[in-house]
């Protein structure tokens, strides 16, 4: 299934350039390993939305802009915590950034996609972003 993964890094080139050395592009194997401990622990609805029933939802926000994401990142992540960003399109490679880099470039994160998921590796929190609908933050189930 590695065919097609990461074929379009140019879609996030601005974010990677802004983040500099703070941004790491994940290989397919790394993407799948992080997905196994985060995204894959949730059921899905309509293939691209997570099912929040039966999990600890921490917050729902109707905001869907950089400011809304920035506030959530600061609320649920420590500055140096590693955050993995999964994009709605698997052809765009997942990236790992420090939480402060995600907060600093939040507009670029939400501006790069219609949907994405951010996994906070220390706090085991996942934030789902759906453009026009907002954010949901939840604890990753065990």
């Amino acid at each position: 299934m590695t065919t097609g993964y990461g074929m379009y890094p140019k879609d996030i080139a601005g974010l990677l350039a802004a983040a500099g050395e703070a941004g790491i592009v994940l290989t397919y194997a790394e993407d799948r390993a992080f997905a196994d401990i985060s995204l894959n622990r949730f059921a899905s609805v309509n293939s691209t939305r997570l099912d929040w029933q039966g999990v600890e939802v921490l917050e729902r926000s109707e905001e869907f802009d950089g400011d809304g994401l920035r506030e959530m990142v600061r609320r649920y992540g420590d500055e140096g915590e590693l955050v993995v960003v999964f994009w709605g399109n698997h052809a765009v490679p997942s990236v790992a950034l420090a939480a402060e880099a995600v907060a600093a470039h939040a507009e670029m994160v939400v501006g790069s996609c219609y949907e994405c998921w951010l996994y906070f590796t220390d706090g085991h929190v996942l934030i789902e972003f759906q453009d026009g609908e907002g954010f949901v933050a939840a604890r990753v189930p065990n």
Side-chain angles (χ1 to χ4, degrees), residues 23-138:
I24 302 166
V25 176
L26 301 182
T27 66
Y28 179 77
E30 292 166 333
D31 169 89
R32 294 296 80 203
F34 278 113
D36 283 345
I37 60 173
S38 61
L39 283 174
N40 294 349
R41 294 199 177 174
F42 293 88
S44 63
V45 177
N46 298 329
S47 77
T48 63
R49 296 174 190 275
L50 298 181
D51 183 355
W52 302 110
Q53 292 189 4
V55 300
E56 182 185 355
V57 173
L58 302 170
E59 180 178 356
R60 293 178 188 270
S61 171
E62 292 182 3
E63 294 184 52
F64 51 93
D65 60 9
D67 288 335
L69 177 58
R70 184 175 297 104
E71 289 176 22
M72 290 186 95
V73 168
R74 290 182 175 149
R75 217 172 357 265
Y76 298 109
D78 293 328
E79 282 187 16
E81 182 172 3
L82 186 67
V83 178
V84 176
V85 182
F86 302 94
W87 310 104
N89 182 347
H90 211 62
V92 179
S94 297
V95 297
L97 304 163
E100 67 260 17
V102 175
H105 306 295
E107 287 83 6
M108 293 180 121
V109 172
V110 297
S112 297
C113 62
Y114 295 108
E115 58 194 10
C116 67
W117 298 266
L118 297 92
Y119 171 55
F120 295 75
T121 59
D122 293 340
H124 306 289
V125 169
L126 188 82
I127 295 176
E128 179 179 62
F129 165 67
Q130 296 286 337
D131 190 26
E133 296 179 27
F135 302 97
V136 177

